[in-house]
Amino acid sequence: MKVTVDRTLCDGNGVCMGIAPDVFDVDDDLNLHIVDEIPDDPVIRAQVRQSITSCPVLALSLEE
Amino acid sequence: MVVTTSQTVVVAGGSLAGHTVVAELARRGFAGDVVWVRGPEGTAPYSRPALSKELIQGKVTSDDIRLPGLEAHGLRLRVVDHAVCARLDPDDDRVLVTPAPGAAGEPSDGDWIPFDALFVCTGTRARLPEAFAGLPNVHCLRTLADAERIRERLSGRPRTVVVGAGLVGSEMAASLRSCGLPVELVVQGRLPMDAVFGEDLGRFCLERHHAHGVTTRLLTTVTGLSASEPDGPVVLTFDDGEQTSADLVVLGLGAVTACEWLRGSGLDVSDGLGCDEALRTARPNVFAAGDVANWRHPVFGHRMRVEHWSNASAQARHAVESWWAGLEGREPPPFAEVPYFWSDQYGLKYQMVGHARGHDEVSVERTGADGYPFVTYFREGRVVAAAGVNAPRAVMRMKARIQSEATTIQGAYAG
Ligand SMILES: Cc1cc2nc3c(=O)[nH]c(=O)nc-3n(C[C@H](O)[C@H](O)[C@H](O)COP(=O)(O)OP(=O)(O)OC[C@H]3O[C@@H](n4cnc5c(N)ncnc54)[C@H](O)[C@@H]3O)c2cc1C
Ligand code: SF4
């Protein structure tokens, strides 16, 4: 499972970070960081899927 | 194993909450029928936050903000556009679906659609006092059509007055100013956004408006709008008797819940649609999610309605889970997400977690190289909310703390 972000769209609003804080991190310059390895934990993976569908600017996508 | 093939689910509302309910049903492999009544707008679902941000500034188009299509998900889905749920039968599990006012086609009395479960996601609409309606240069901002109408006017560089300085009003003033327009902001209270943020961030927000050349009128209410020619400049009259003129007026007067259609259904619609902690209404197979839902928050211990993006998608998923749990004979869990929202103004990101209502104390720190205010809100010594500017990590860190600390005041605010 790999998540990619379209940086031209992401505005750093942090919605994904609110849902899956172990995977997404927005720094104070509003740049999004995504962990390289998404932990193999069903709860975290469900959070990641929710983040993707909850991003208000549709910047996230999933490669299974 | 839940047997759902012969069941019909009606989803009322074609925006984020309704969209997420349908997506969640698809994710769970729901095998029955879904009737999705998407409301009067007649547009495919889209993301509203961009309306007052990137879209109004011309940085994105309507195509960029469409929510993903759900047709290909293997659901037995019937989409009903340009139509509204007009009534819920008080005695039977069925809703009356009628064409929206102004819809094309034959006038019709509508159809009664029976359901096994109903998800009410009809949200809110912009508050528009009747006396302010009908002038072509006066606009609310709730829908894509509103935003496109405003956008069409901008090329003439209109002198703009924004009335109301809540989230939408303050953000619109900033976006229109960023487009280079002359903007005046009419603030009913002492400071912009003070109802959400309180004194310190409200003052910061006011200073940002002034630094960018927006003029403000504080503690002022608009009492009248008029125009001598229908499409001409609008004269605004204020409660102190003063007047000003504008080519374009944007009203940010808050929102009203769209649940008048549920009157007479036996449900509580005194402030949105009342439900229990698990988002169930008084009828066991009717659920609410999004801006319309009024529920008792188990962490804060009181009822609330939250008009923010993350809440609508999280509640939609939860409402489906509550229904599903019932089918499986499980007790549905309470919806306990701590509210969160953001707002973009002049390139700065305001963010807040928690619910500051009833706070009795704040602490203010300065964050980052620019020393932006970071405010923590307390009630009876416990953290209930936090807000900052360009400080996403600090804001999000407070989420867990609010979740754990606020819990201990449960009961004290029951009701
Ligand atoms: C300009 C603007 C900017 C915003 N910016 C932010 C932001 O920066 N951050 C943030 O967190 N939130 C923001 N929000 C709030 C966020 O967009 C809402 O919380 C979210 O749209 C709520 O979704 P909803 O589906 O509950 O309701 P709504 O979006 O209100 O949708 C309700 C839907 O129901 C339909 N409907 C109404 N009546 C009926 C009926 N009788 N039958 C069938 N359908 C019906 C409507 O047509 C609509 O499709 C903003 C909102 C606006 C308007
Ligand atoms: S939710 Fe979307 S826009 Fe917001 S920070 Fe995450 S990827 Fe960026």
Side-chain angles (χ1 to χ4, degrees):
Chain A
M1 185 192 221
K2 190 170 163 35
V3 183
T4 50
V5 58
D6 182 338
R7 296 200 182 273
T8 61
L9 294 175
C10 172
D11 69 8
N13 55 52
V15 169
C16 54
M17 182 185 183
I19 298 170
D22 300 318
V23 174
F24 301 102
D25 172 41
V26 181
D27 67 26
D28 292 351
D29 295 320
L30 307 178
N31 293 313
L32 175 69
H33 306 272
I34 306 177
V35 292
D36 292 332
E37 275 303 314
I38 293 173
D40 191 11
D41 170 333
V43 174
I44 292 180
R45 297 206 159 191
Q47 289 173 346
V48 169
R49 287 202 180 81
Q50 283 183 25
S51 301
I52 291 166
T53 51
S54 302
C55 170
V57 297
L58 315 169
L60 293 173
S61 43
L62 183 66
E63 291 165 26
E64 292 277 350
Chain B
M1 177 70 198
V2 189
V3 180
T4 52
T5 33
S6 60
Q7 305 223 11
T8 299
V9 168
V10 173
V11 181
S15 183
L16 179 63
H19 183 272
T20 310
V21 165
V22 176
E24 180 66 12
L25 290 168
R27 193 188 68 78
R28 286 170 185 255
F30 175 64
D33 291 294
V34 179
V35 182
W36 187 10
V37 185
R38 295 209 296 205
E41 287 186 59
T43 44
Y46 57 88
S47 174
R48 291 192 203 283
L51 298 182
S52 48
K53 304 178 179 68
E54 296 88 350
L55 190 111
I56 209 74
Q57 296 182 53
K59 294 178 182 166
V60 300
T61 66
S62 57
D63 287 340
D64 299 327
I65 63 169
R66 298 264 178 240
L67 299 180
L70 296 170
E71 286 73 13
H73 281 64
L75 266 189
R76 282 179 7 211
L77 175 63
R78 190 176 131 214
V79 172
V80 194
D81 261 331
H82 247 303
V84 294
C85 292
R87 251 188 92 190
L88 168 61
D89 193 317
D91 304 313
D92 255 330
D93 285 337
R94 54 178 202 156
V95 276
L96 178 65
V97 176
T98 62
E106 295 287 303
S108 137
D109 295 338
D111 297 311
W112 283 99
I113 301 185
F115 61 80
D116 296 284
L118 169 67
F119 292 89
V120 177
C121 308
T122 46
T124 51
R125 60 174 74 94
R127 184 188 302 282
L128 174 62
E130 217 170 292
F132 296 175
L135 292 172
N137 289 322
V138 177
H139 301 269
C140 294
L141 180 59
R142 180 78 201 171
T143 65
L144 181 55
D146 294 335
E148 286 178 333
R149 271 193 297 267
I150 295 171
R151 181 100 196 113
E152 275 166 24
R153 301 273 163 168
L154 302 187
S155 56
R157 281 192 42 81
R159 183 184 123 74
T160 303
V161 174
V162 177
V163 181
L167 280 170
V168 170
S170 189
E171 195 168 81
M172 269 305 269
S175 289
L176 293 171
R177 185 68 198 121
S178 301
C179 295
L181 304 183
V183 176
E184 177 168 335
L185 177 62
V186 181
V187 186
Q188 192 166 20
R190 294 177 51 240
L191 295 164
M193 302 210 293
D194 63 345
V196 211
F197 282 145
E199 173 84 21
D200 300 274
L201 272 171
R203 182 160 303 286
F204 176 82
C205 177
L206 180 71
E207 287 163 8
R208 300 320 299 163
H209 281 304
H210 288 165
H212 284 85
V214 166
T215 56
T216 52
R217 254 172 227 266
L218 305 180
L219 290 167
T220 305
T221 304
V222 175
T223 53
L225 297 176
S226 61
S228 46
E229 301 152 48
D231 203 16
V234 180
V235 176
L236 299 96
T237 307
F238 302 109
D239 54 348
D240 56 6
E242 277 197 40
Q243 291 191 321
T244 194
S245 153
D247 306 311
L248 176 69
V249 174
V250 178
L251 301 176
L253 301 175
V256 289
T257 54
C259 48
E260 65 292 328
W261 63 281
L262 292 167
R263 285 201 200 110
S265 66
L267 299 179
D268 169 14
V269 288
S270 45
D271 173 24
L273 177 52
C275 23
D276 69 4
E277 292 194 349
L279 307 176
R280 290 175 297 196
T281 68
R283 286 172 64 161
N285 54 350
V286 179
F287 302 81
D291 284 14
V292 78
N294 181 321
W295 88 113
R296 187 178 175 283
H297 198 301
V299 172
F300 296 89
H302 59 75
R303 293 199 148 270
M304 60 174 79
R305 223 165 36 71
V306 173
E307 293 180 12
H308 301 311
W309 177 264
S310 307
N311 179 67
S313 60
Q315 282 192 336
R317 277 188 207 97
H318 197 95
V320 175
E321 163 59 14
S322 283
W323 176 54
W324 211 266
L327 295 178
E328 291 180 342
R330 291 182 284 118
E331 188 53 33
F335 181 76
E337 270 295 307
V338 173
Y340 164 74
F341 73 87
W342 77 101
S343 174
D344 293 349
Q345 300 180 28
Y346 308 110
L348 296 179
K349 182 119 6 228
Y350 295 75
Q351 290 173 302
M352 185 172 206
V353 280
H355 195 74
R357 193 184 92 181
H359 72 267
D360 48 28
E361 195 191 327
V362 297
S363 85
V364 185
E365 296 154 63
R366 300 279 150 185
T367 52
D370 300 290
Y372 297 138
F374 185 92
V375 184
T376 311
Y377 304 78
F378 299 87
R379 194 172 66 200
E380 298 178 0
R382 283 152 182 132
V383 182
V384 288
V389 180
N390 283 19
R393 286 174 173 158
V395 170
M396 287 302 177
R397 262 200 301 277
M398 296 303 282
K399 196 175 162 183
R401 189 164 157 206
I402 293 164
Q403 188 107 37
S404 59
E405 285 202 17
T407 308
T408 47
I409 45 181
Q410 247 199 71
Y413 287 80

